[in-house]
């Protein structure tokens, strides 16, 4: 059962990703990306990480992608890549290197790592919100606090970057 | 008092600092001209102001040296108040180490002073004569455009010379040794906008470098080879450790091979030190720089190239006498070098027309006396002659400076004559100096020169005699009297041959030092008067020399010979006066012929060195300059620049401005690194 | 319930990552490039959670949590930059932002 769900979800995730990359319309790309994120969230559930699955859907597929869509709409940038490719060999080389990277990744996935698969009983409890939060607020307390400061900086930075010059505004007005 | 001895070099150093920082301001004066002033009053005003500035700068410099002299005198009194001997050891000394100057591995160099009879005697000469010459320079340099620089250099020289004689180890000595060399270079080339001084300065510096090499080698060898009483390496350069009898003796038993010959370490070191001595004290074969050094201002010639710096070699020999004592053959060599220099330089002095060149060769000759004396082991006599010579040769140089200064900067004796009426005081003091140099009793030179000749003829008590050396020293003494008589006759007697020059007496500021030095030249013999021997007994705890007996007969013979020779020279040049013309050769040439030409040509030393060293070197430099420098050095430099340029031009294409291209590079790296781990 | 092997998850992660990489390198719309970067981050998260299960430890999941937080911050700043660039150049095409070339 789990295997079937895995393969189905995996295929959906891959197709969604490909569609995201290939779609000429940025809005479509964003929607495909949301689909990809949701299918990955399903995989998280299979990996016994329900908390992160929830975070994935709410934060990633929800907040972040909404931000993306908002910006696309705001700028009117949904159109496909404009003009011609300035560096002719960029695309073939990129695809070639991508294939090499994929081969290497596959090699790593099946030959490079030597990890025993845990039994279900052992791995049962690692993803519950209680476990995660107890680790987060004890072992990773300091990084957690730093992340909060990072987010604050990001907020301030965003405000500064998008704020229009006051003098500039007055001129326009 | 010994706590304040550091003030002796520190005061002139203070003078250097103050004059360097404030000298320019002192010269500028405080007066501002009103814009309406005429040009003439400007110039006159400027002259007065310049004079005042020179005085301010000069008196400050002089005062510093004068204070140092006073401090040295106080130090002398204190040393005299101590017991001369503690048991068998010398009791009158201070060995003060202030701090560790450098340390590396086994090497420990302290910064400290050794004040004993020898260094104190030298300090008295340096600061005493130095003070008088500073004062004289205020007058002499009053019209020079750069007096501050002059006095700064002069003070710096005093500092370096004091370091040389006061240092308690070889490195301190070397510091002073190089310091005086540097100041000598700077002061010879002081008038660098003229043609000759820069060349003379360079020559002095380069020739001295050969001697410095010897001193350095000697220092290395001393540090490496001296063993202590237990037979372990001593690894010290401190005089009182290295030269202590139980340590220095070890040098005799260490053998070193050089050019296929076996030397004892003591012999090799002594030979290297001798090389240093010949460089600094202008002995054969390295004396050629000193006569050219006369291109510098005359006070410099008096202070550095007659009274003090050139005697550093003699000081070095006396200081390191325990090493020289271990190697009689080097001592003999030194004595021969000294006497040969004394004789040859005296003959060359005969053939010179430049008033300062005569004195320069005379200085070389007298230095030869000193070196011969210390080479024969007569350290006291050598130091005695060093002191008296320092006084009367300073007097002669300053007198010559007064003549040059008062005679329109003319130095050719053939254009002078009859100046005794125009410059009576200069003439009188000059005569005192001449008689002292010629060795006429009872002036200073007589006593000191006689002590050397007596030592050579009769030998030390129980020691060997050096009759051959004595004969040549006597001959040199006769030559000295002759060339000095020639000089006096040409400069001060007869008619003024160049009527176009207005001769005048110098200012009191220049005359007073002459008078004081003249008094010193008269009384200088008292320093080591036979019968009393104050100097010898003062040095006795240090050098262990007994006072030599005075040989009346020999002294009388030498003096009579000198008198006769001087009289002959004087009468000859008075008679031949009509034949002395600026365009003609010396009247003596008629009699001496080719021999005289040899003297004129300085025995070919300069030509020889020119042919075997300077020309090949220039040729080599030329070749290297044209071939090696242009092709290889420039090729490497330009080539590397071009390489960088080309590489940059090539790499520029990678920076296209397209972020995606950079990302692609990034990916190439990622793939490569991952590939490395996969394929490993 | 028999689990899918960790290797399979890692392979899936690699595939998604490669698609993201190719997307970044080939698309010229800055927003799509940005989304491709998000895809790459997401694939890394997937691998992390797979390892977390394999080791039976929560650390991988906590790190994923951090990655999501950082990604949120990054998206905020990155989109702000895009807005600024768009204001200045009226474009979201990254190839038009190439004045800093050698």
């Amino acid at each position: 059962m789990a295997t079937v769900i895995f393969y189905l979800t995996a295929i959906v995730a891959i197709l969604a990703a490909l569609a995201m990359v290939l779609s000429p319309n940025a809005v479509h790309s964003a929607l495909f990306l949301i689909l990809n994120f949701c299918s990955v969230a399903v995989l998280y559930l299979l990996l016994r990480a329900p908390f992160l699955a929830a975070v994935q859907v709410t934060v990633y597929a929800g907040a972040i992608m909404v931000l993306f869509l908002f910006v696309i709409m705001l700028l009117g940038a949904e159109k496909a890549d404009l003009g011609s490719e300035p560096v002719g060999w960029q695309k073939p080389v990129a695809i070639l290197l991508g294939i090499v990277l994929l081969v290497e990744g596959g090699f790593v996935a099946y030959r490079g790592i030597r990890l025993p698969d845990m039994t279900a009983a052992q791995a049962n409890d690692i993803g519950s919100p209680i476990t995660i939060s107890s680790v987060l607020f004890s072992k990773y307390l300091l990084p957690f606090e730093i992340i909060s400061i990072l987010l604050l900086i990001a907020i301030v930075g965003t405000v500064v970057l998008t704020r229009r010059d006051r003098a500039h505004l007055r001129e326009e007005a | 008092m010994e706590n304040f001895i550091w003030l002796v070099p520190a005061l002139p150093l203070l003078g250097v600092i103050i004059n360097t920082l404030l000298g320019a301001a002192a010269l500028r004066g405080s007066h501002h001209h009103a814009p309406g002033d005429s040009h003439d009053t400007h110039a006159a005003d400027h002259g007065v102001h310049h004079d005042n500035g020179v005085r301010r700068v000069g008196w400050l410099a002089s005062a510093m040296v004068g204070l140092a002299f006073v401090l040295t005198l106080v130090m002398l009194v204190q040393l005299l108040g101590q017991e001369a001997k503690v048991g068998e050891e010398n009791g009158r000394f201070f060995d003060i180490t202030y701090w560790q100057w450098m340390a590396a591995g086994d090497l420990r160099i302290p910064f400290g002073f050794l004040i004993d009879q020898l260094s104190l005697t030298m300090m008295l000469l340096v600061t005493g004569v130095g003070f008088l010459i500073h004062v004289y320079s205020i007058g002499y340099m009053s019209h020079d455009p750069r007096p501050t620089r002059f006095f700064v250099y002069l003070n710096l020289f005093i500092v370096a010379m004091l370091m040389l004689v006061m240092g308690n180890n070889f490195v301190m000595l070397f510091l002073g040794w190089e310091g005086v060399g540097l100041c000598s270079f700077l002061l010879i080339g002081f008038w660098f906008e003229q043609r000759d001084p820069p060349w003379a300065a360079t020559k002095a510096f380069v020739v001295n470098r050969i001697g410095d090499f010897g001193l350095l080698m000697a220092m290395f060898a001393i540090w490496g080879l001296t063993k202590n009483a237990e037979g372990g390496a001593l690894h010290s350069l401190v005089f009182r450790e290295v030269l202590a009898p139980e340590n220095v003796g070890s040098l005799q038993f260490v053998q070193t091979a050089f050019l296929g010959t076996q030397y004892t370490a003591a012999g090799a070191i002594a030979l290297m030190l001798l090389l240093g001595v010949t460089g600094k004290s202008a002995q054969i074969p390295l004396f050629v720089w000193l006569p050219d050094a006369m291109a510098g201002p005359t006070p410099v010639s008096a202070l550095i190239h007659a009274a003090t710096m050139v005697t550093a070699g003699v000081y070095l020999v006396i200081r390191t006498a325990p090493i020289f004592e271990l190697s009689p053959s080097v001592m003999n060599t030194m004595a021969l070098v000294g006497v040969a220099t004394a004789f040859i330089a005296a003959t060359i002095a005969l053939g010179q027309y430049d008033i300062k060149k005569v004195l320069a060769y005379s200085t070389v000759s007298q230095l030869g006396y000193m070196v011969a004396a210390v080479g024969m082991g007569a350290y006291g006599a050598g130091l005695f002659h060093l002191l008296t010579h320092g006084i009367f040769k300073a007097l002669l140089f300053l007198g010559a400076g007064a003549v040059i200064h008062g005679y329109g900067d003319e130095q050719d004796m053939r254009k002078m004559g009859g100046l005794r009426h125009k410059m009576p005081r200069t003439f009188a003091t000059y005569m005192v100096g001449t008689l002292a140099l010629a060795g006429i009793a009872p002036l200073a030179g007589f006593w000191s020169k006689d002590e050397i000749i007596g030592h050579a003829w009769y030998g030390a008590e129980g020691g060997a005699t050096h009759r051959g050396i004595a004969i040549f020293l006597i001959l040199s003494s006769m030559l000295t009297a002759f060339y000095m008589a020639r000089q006096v006759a040409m400069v001060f007697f007869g008619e003024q041959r160049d009527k176009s020059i207005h001769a005048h007496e110098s200012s009191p500021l220049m005359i007073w030092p002459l008078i004081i030095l003249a008094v010193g030249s008269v009384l200088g013999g008292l320093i080591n008067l036979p019968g009393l021997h104050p100097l010898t007994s003062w040095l006795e705890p240090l050098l262990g020399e007994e006072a030599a007996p005075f040989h009346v007969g020999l002294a009388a013979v030498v003096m009579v010979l000198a008198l006769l020779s001087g009289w002959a020279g004087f009468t000859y040049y008075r008679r031949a006066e009509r034949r002395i013309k600026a365009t003609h050769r010396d009247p003596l040439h008629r009699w001496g012929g080719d021999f005289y030409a040899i003297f004129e040509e300085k025995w070919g030393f300069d030509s020889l060195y020119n042919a075997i060293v300077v020309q090949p070197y220039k040729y080599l430099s030329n070749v290297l300059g044209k071939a090696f420098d242009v092709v290889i050095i420039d090729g490497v430099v330009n080539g590397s620049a071009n390489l960088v340029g080309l590489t940059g031009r090539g790499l520029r294409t990678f920076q296209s401005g397209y972020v995606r291209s950079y990302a692609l590079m990034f990916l190439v790296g990622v793939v490569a690194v991952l590939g490395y781990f996969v394929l490993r | 319930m028999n689990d899918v092997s960790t290797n399979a998850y890692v392979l899936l992660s690699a595939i998604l990552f490669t698609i993201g990489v190719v997307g970044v390198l080939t698309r010229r719309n800055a927003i799509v490039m940005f989304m491709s970067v998000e895809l790459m981050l997401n694939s890394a998260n997937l691998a992390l959670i797979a390892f977390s299960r394999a080791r039976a430890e929560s650390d991988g999941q906590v790190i994923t949590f951090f990655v999501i937080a950082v990604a949120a911050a990054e998206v905020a700043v990155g989109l702000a930059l895009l807005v600024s660039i768009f204001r200045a150049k009226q474009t979201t095409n990254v190839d038009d932002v190439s004045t800093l070339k050698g």
Side-chain angles (χ1 to χ4, degrees), chain B residues 473-613:
Chain B
L473 287 180
I474 294 169
L475 281 176
S476 311
S477 152
M478 291 170 65
L479 285 169
T480 308
F482 190 88
Y483 65 68
M484 285 315 291
R486 167 178 179 264
Q487 187 178 45
V488 167
M490 284 174 86
V491 174
F492 290 105
F493 287 87
E495 292 288 308
Q496 187 176 339
R497 282 180 285 276
D498 189 341
K499 295 278 197 298
S500 65
I501 298 172
H502 166 67
H504 63 88
E505 182 66 288
S506 301
S507 65
L509 215 50
M510 290 166 69
I511 296 299
W512 273 108
L514 290 181
I515 293 172
I516 296 171
L517 285 170
V519 172
S521 304
V522 174
L523 301 178
L526 292 175
I527 297 173
N528 205 17
L529 198 68
L532 297 172
H533 288 296
L535 182 69
T536 316
S537 43
W538 159 247
L539 292 171
E540 198 271 335
L542 184 69
L543 302 174
E545 260 187 326
E546 297 292 326
F550 182 63
H551 308 285
V552 185
L554 181 70
V557 169
V558 172
M559 186 175 120
V560 167
L561 284 174
L563 270 177
L564 280 176
S565 158
W567 175 79
F570 186 71
T571 1
Y572 179 75
Y573 279 92
R574 291 288 289 122
R575 294 244 173 97
E577 201 203 331
R578 278 174 295 106
R579 289 205 300 277
I580 304 173
K581 293 209 177 75
T583 47
H584 284 46
R585 300 177 86 170
D586 196 273
L588 208 59
H589 187 255
R590 285 219 314 196
W591 302 94
D594 291 341
F595 279 112
Y596 193 77
I598 290 177
F599 302 159
E600 272 183 328
E601 282 309 308
K602 305 154 191 174
W603 290 61
F605 272 101
D606 272 337
S607 323
L608 179 71
Y609 291 162
N610 193 31
I612 63 172
V613 181

